[in-house]
Amino acid sequence: MKSAWVDADARALVSRYAADGLAGDLALRVYTTRLLGRDPKLVLHGGGNTSVKTRVTDLNGETLDVLCVKGSGCDMGRIEPAGLPAVRLDNLRKLRARDALSDEDMVKVQRANLLDPMAPNPSVETLLHAFLPHRFVDHTHATAVLGLVDQDNSRELCEEVYGARMGFVRYIMPGFALAKEAADVFDADPKVEGLILDKHGLFTFGESARDAYERMIEMVTLAEQRLARNRKSVFVSATLPNEIGAVSEVAPILRGAVALPDHRTQGAWKRLVLDFRTNDAILNFVNGAELARYATSGVITPDHTIRTKNWPMIAPSPDAAKLHDFKQAARVAAAEFVERYVDYFERNNARAGDRKTMLDPAPRVILVPGLGLFGLGRSKKDARVAADLAEAAVEGITEAEAIGRYSPIGEADMFDVEYWSLEQAKLGGAKELPLAGQVAVITGAAGAIGFATAKAFAAAGAEIALLDIDGAALVEAAKSFGGSALSVRGDVTDDASVRTAFDRITEAFGGVDILVSNAGAAFQGKIGAVDDMTLRKSFELNFFSHQRVAQHAVRIMLAQGTGGCLLFNASKQAINPGPDFGPYGLPKAATLFLARQYALDYGAEGIRSNAVNADRIRSGLLTDDFIAERAKARGVSETDYMSGNLLRREVTADDVAQAFLHQALALKTTADVTTVDGGNIAAALR
Ligand SMILES: [Zn+2]
C-alpha cells in the first residue's frame, strides 16, 4: 500500500480553507481523513475515524483546547471541517479517572462538551482519541490488519510483524472501557507508534497529519507483506451443478425466500432489495467445501454486524435445470437462518437480562455457491452497503485462512455490538415509508403520467425501474431521480426486449413487486373505415404490450411468492368511447378486462390487479397543440376545455399518479377501476 500524500494537494487545501479562517492543522486533518476514507481497503462505510487536538477561540473570546473528532455518520472520503466537531478536551480527559461510564452517559458528556450544539454526535471512539496524547490520531479497520488479528494467535502474529512498534489491545467493545484499556496499553510503552486492536482494527498517531497517516500506510503494508508470506492454498472447491441458474432467475427466488410476513396487516410483507456481486475472489470463497465453517463464524470487525448481521445465509447452489428444487431448498435455508438467529437472540438476551428488542431475523448477506453473493437491505442503498462489507469480509477471511485459521470475536461480543443500547434506542424512531423494500417498474416512464407515477412511488419509498422506448427522454427523466432509479430502454411491443428489460431489473434489485403498465399511444379513425393495420398496431401497443409486461411481472412475482400488484392505465376510452377513437378505445377496453382477468386468476397468489381510468391529461398523447385544436373545434377556451368536467378542475398527471399509488397501497383492493377525470357522468362506471 502506497502513501497517497501529495504536498501540492495538501498545501492547496490548507490555503483554500485558510480563506474561510480555518487553522492549518484542521485543514490537514481534513486532507488525510479524505485520503484514508477514499481507500476501501482502509475504510468502508463509516468503519474508521480520525481526530486532531487543537486550540480554538469560543464566542467569549476564550481560547480552549479541543479535540476535533469525526462525527458519526460522516463519510471520511468526502469529509468537510463540519464533519469533525470540536469537543472540549479537558472535560473528556477528566473522564479517564472514572471506573466506568455507561454508553448513554458517554454520549451525553460528549454532546455536552461540543462547542457547536448543532454538530453531529462525536464518534463512539472519541474517548480513545482524547486519552492519547498525540495531536493527530488515525483509526481504520484495514482489511489486511483484520487478516492478522482475526486469528487465535493474533498477539504473536502482531509481535512478529510489528515488534515493539505497536501496542496490542485485547478485544473490548468500542466505548469507555476500550478507551481506558487502550490508554493504559499506550502508557505502558509510550514509544509505540500505534495500537493494534484485536479483532477490530488499528490506531496510528503522530505530531503531524502526515506522520500519523503515513504510519497507518506503513503498518497496513507490513500486514500485507506478512499475508503474502507462507500462504497455503485456500478453499478446496465443493462439487457444483454443471450449469448454474442465471442471476435474473435466482434472485427473485431468494428474495421471496427471505421476505417475512408483516403480521400487523394480512397480505403485507417485509421485503428486502438485493445487490448482486461476483468475481473470481468471491467465487473462490463461496465455492469452498468448508464455506459453512469460515463464512458463518462471525464478522471481520464488530461494526459490520449492524449492516450484515453476524453471519450470512448460505443458499444451496442453483442448478439451472432444477430451479424448482432450488426454490424449495432456498426456503429451507432461509427458515434455518431465521431459526438460528432467533436462537442466538434468545440465548444472548437472557444473558443481557431480557431487555433487548429483537431485530428482524432476515439475512443481510446471502452467499450462493457457483454464483456469487447478494447484499440485502430495506433499500438499494442499504443493500449496496451490505454487499460492500460482504466483499470486504470475503477478502479478510480469505487472507486469514491463507496464513492460519479465521477466528473472529465470539457470539456474546457480536451480540453486544448488534444490540448495543444506543442502536436499540434508535428502533422505532425513524418511520419507514409505505413502499420501503418494494420494487416498482413503470412503463412509458418518460411520459407525463409515467414520470409523475415514478416520482410518487419513489417518494413513497419504492425502488424505481423506468422503462421507455425513448432513450433521450429516459435519460432526462432519470436525472430527476439523482441516479437512484434504474433506467431501461425497451420496446413493450417486442417480447425479447421486454424479457431483457425484466432480466436487467431483477439483476439490479432482485425482483419486482409493482408493475405500472402505462405505455400507450392514441390511434384515431372512424371504425367503419379504419384500415386493419392501424387497428392492429393499436392493439399491439394498447393491449398486447400490457399483457406482455404483466406476464413477465407475474412470472417474477410467482418466483418470489410474496404477491404483488399490477396496475394498468386503462383510459376513459375503455368505458365511454369518443367519436373516431375506436382504434384507441377498443384495445383499452380489452386492457380493462385484462386487469380483471389477472385479478381473478392470480388473487389466490396474493397478486392484485387494478386499473386507472383517466381522462384529458396534458401529456404526450394530449399535447398543447392538440388541446388548442380540440378547444377551438368546440368553441371553448383551452382552460374550459381542460376543465370541462363536473368539478370544473383540470386533471393532472400527478392526480393519476396518486390514484396508482392508492391502488398500490390498498392491500385489500383488487379488480378495481379508479376514475380520475374530474367527473364525467357519461363515463361513470355502473
Ligand atoms: Zn473501530
Side-chain angles (χ1 to χ4, degrees):
M1 176 167 281
K2 295 240 175 325
S3 167
W5 177 284
V6 177
D7 268 331
D9 292 353
R11 275 198 304 271
L13 203 67
V14 168
S15 55
R16 206 193 98 201
Y17 282 123
D20 303 337
L22 195 75
D25 53 359
L26 201 46
L28 290 173
R29 178 68 286 174
V30 168
Y31 176 62
T32 57
T33 301
R34 288 182 189 169
L35 295 184
L36 294 168
R38 281 172 195 168
D39 189 339
K41 288 190 179 304
L42 294 173
V43 170
L44 260 184
H45 302 300
N49 42 62
T50 58
S51 69
V52 58
K53 297 176 184 79
T54 185
R55 293 173 78 83
V56 296
T57 305
D58 70 8
L59 293 174
N60 291 323
E62 287 169 17
T63 305
L64 297 169
D65 286 321
V66 293
L67 177 77
C68 292
V69 61
K70 197 201 89 163
S72 75
C74 302
D75 175 353
M76 286 172 66
R78 282 180 294 195
I79 202 159
E80 291 292 334
L84 291 153
V87 198
R88 288 176 187 83
L89 184 58
D90 292 349
N91 286 348
L92 295 181
R93 282 185 164 156
K94 273 185 220 158
L95 293 167
R96 198 177 159 190
R98 294 179 61 114
D99 289 330
L101 182 70
S102 72
D103 292 327
E104 286 76 7
D105 284 346
M106 180 180 80
V107 170
K108 216 179 275 174
V109 75
Q110 287 175 186
R111 279 212 71 79
N113 283 289
L114 281 168
L115 261 63
D116 175 1
M118 306 306 281
N121 267 337
S123 157
V124 295
E125 278 154 342
T126 293
L127 292 180
L128 208 164
H129 288 261
F131 293 169
L132 292 168
H134 313 81
R135 281 182 71 203
F136 289 86
V137 177
D138 294 13
H139 170 50
T140 74
H141 303 159
T143 317
V145 171
L146 296 175
L148 295 184
V149 298
D150 284 329
Q151 304 273 351
D152 284 337
N153 62 338
S154 50
R155 186 184 286 267
E156 291 88 84
L157 270 171
C158 290
E159 268 165 23
E160 176 202 323
V161 173
Y162 300 113
R165 294 181 68 188
M166 298 289 275
F168 188 87
V169 184
R170 70 193 161 106
Y171 179 80
I172 298 176
M173 182 180 160
F176 177 74
L178 174 62
K180 246 185 104 131
E181 175 88 3
D184 290 348
V185 170
F186 173 78
D187 286 349
D189 184 4
K191 291 190 300 299
V192 295
E193 296 162 62
L195 299 170
I196 297 289
L197 270 55
D198 198 19
K199 321 284 189 205
H200 174 160
L202 76 160
F203 279 77
T204 55
F205 24 75
E207 283 313 298
S208 73
R210 185 170 185 170
D211 277 355
Y213 166 73
E214 290 192 336
R215 271 184 184 147
M216 176 65 69
I217 301 301
E218 187 189 353
M219 298 306 168
V220 175
T221 304
L222 288 171
E224 286 175 338
Q225 287 166 354
R226 175 60 186 82
L227 291 169
R229 283 201 306 273
N230 305 330
R231 285 174 83 88
K232 54 183 199 245
S233 72
V234 284
F235 310 150
V236 179
S237 187
T239 317
L240 297 172
N242 283 334
E243 203 193 328
I244 302 291
V247 178
S248 58
E249 303 271 1
V250 169
I253 292 173
L254 289 172
R255 182 166 182 257
V258 300
L260 299 166
D262 183 344
H263 295 295
R264 289 167 303 181
T265 312
Q266 210 180 0
W269 291 86
K270 267 194 115 59
R271 298 173 171 96
L272 296 166
V273 179
L274 273 55
D275 188 64
F276 179 68
R277 306 285 169 93
T278 196
N279 58 39
D280 288 347
I282 293 171
L283 286 173
N284 185 41
F285 184 90
V286 299
N287 294 355
E290 286 188 61
L291 179 66
R293 172 185 63 81
Y294 55 75
T296 64
S297 48
V299 284
I300 55 171
T301 185
D303 76 344
H304 283 203
T305 199
I306 312 276
R307 302 296 212 133
T308 65
K309 288 207 157 77
N310 299 324
W311 60 87
M313 170 180 143
I314 298 179
S317 191
D319 186 333
K322 297 177 185 161
L323 286 177
H324 183 75
D325 294 351
F326 171 71
K327 187 172 176 180
Q328 302 303 322
R331 285 171 180 266
V332 171
E336 282 171 0
F337 182 94
V338 169
E339 198 180 319
R340 181 180 171 190
Y341 187 84
V342 173
D343 283 353
Y344 148 84
F345 174 79
E346 285 173 354
R347 202 162 47 239
N348 287 282
N349 192 32
R351 176 178 58 82
D354 288 318
R355 283 177 289 115
K356 305 292 185 181
T357 305
M358 195 177 83
L359 304 169
D360 84 63
R364 291 299 185 271
V365 176
I366 303 179
L367 306 180
V368 190
L371 197 66
L373 67 81
F374 290 94
L376 292 84
R378 285 287 276 169
S379 65
K380 179 66 182 174
K381 196 167 155 242
D382 284 353
R384 262 194 216 116
V385 171
D388 284 347
L389 298 183
E391 274 203 71
V394 164
E395 192 185 336
I397 296 172
T398 304
E399 296 292 17
E401 289 277 309
I403 62 156
R405 193 179 170 92
Y406 178 59
S407 170
I409 53 172
E411 177 181 287
D413 286 325
M414 289 193 285
F415 181 85
D416 290 345
V417 175
E418 188 176 9
Y419 285 88
W420 190 42
S421 55
L422 298 176
E423 287 291 330
Q424 285 268 299
K426 291 182 199 164
L427 293 179
K431 266 267 167 279
E432 270 202 319
L433 291 166
L435 292 180
Q438 300 211 46
V439 179
V441 180
I442 294 105
T443 73
I449 291 174
F451 180 69
T453 305
K455 292 291 275 187
F457 279 48
E463 302 298 334
I464 303 297
L466 308 166
L467 186 68
D468 206 287
I469 195 168
D470 185 341
L474 197 55
V475 169
E476 208 43 51
K479 274 185 194 160
S480 67
F481 291 87
S484 67
L486 175 75
S487 336
V488 188
R489 199 178 161 275
D491 177 357
V492 289
T493 65
D494 179 275
D495 197 54
S497 176
V498 171
R499 171 82 209 201
T500 306
F502 275 88
D503 283 353
R504 277 194 58 200
I505 294 162
T506 45
E507 284 159 11
F509 296 117
V512 171
D513 306 296
I514 300 165
L515 167 70
V516 184
S517 186
N518 164 69
F523 290 80
Q524 296 186 61
K526 207 170 198 65
I527 199 65
V530 69
D531 63 287
D532 240 29
M533 241 356 247
T534 302
L535 196 55
R536 284 178 192 279
K537 266 176 82 174
S538 183
F539 261 91
E540 200 51 59
L541 178 59
N542 292 314
F543 171 72
F544 282 105
S545 76
H546 290 285
Q547 160 66 350
R548 188 172 291 112
V549 292
Q551 273 188 332
H552 281 286
V554 165
R555 169 177 60 80
I556 295 164
M557 289 169 185
L558 293 177
Q560 293 170 159
T562 52
C565 177
L566 306 174
L567 300 169
F568 297 90
N569 186 343
S571 151
K572 162 254 184 193
Q573 294 298 324
I575 308 291
N576 174 227
D580 300 341
F581 256 132
Y584 181 57
L586 283 162
K588 282 291 190 182
T591 296
L592 185 71
F593 198 90
L594 182 74
R596 292 175 169 177
Q597 196 68 49
Y598 271 103
L600 178 65
D601 287 355
Y602 292 97
E605 311 288 344
I607 297 173
R608 298 179 297 114
S609 177
N610 296 302
V612 169
N613 228 4
D615 189 25
R616 226 170 268 186
I617 315 294
R618 217 178 276 273
S619 70
L621 300 194
L622 196 54
T623 59
D624 291 344
D625 287 349
F626 187 76
I627 292 164
E629 187 189 305
R630 300 294 285 192
K632 201 172 160 201
R634 295 198 181 189
V636 296
S637 72
E638 283 179 42
T639 312
D640 285 348
Y641 174 74
M642 290 307 287
S643 56
N645 53 47
L646 299 178
L647 294 169
R648 310 227 167 276
R649 293 172 189 161
E650 178 174 343
V651 185
T652 68
D654 287 329
D655 297 321
V656 182
Q658 290 305 317
F660 278 132
L661 182 59
H662 162 74
Q663 289 180 329
L665 292 170
L667 292 179
K668 312 294 166 72
T669 297
T670 192
D672 172 58
V673 182
T674 294
T675 302
V676 187
D677 64 359
N680 172 355
I681 210 66
L685 285 157
R686 67 194 98 157

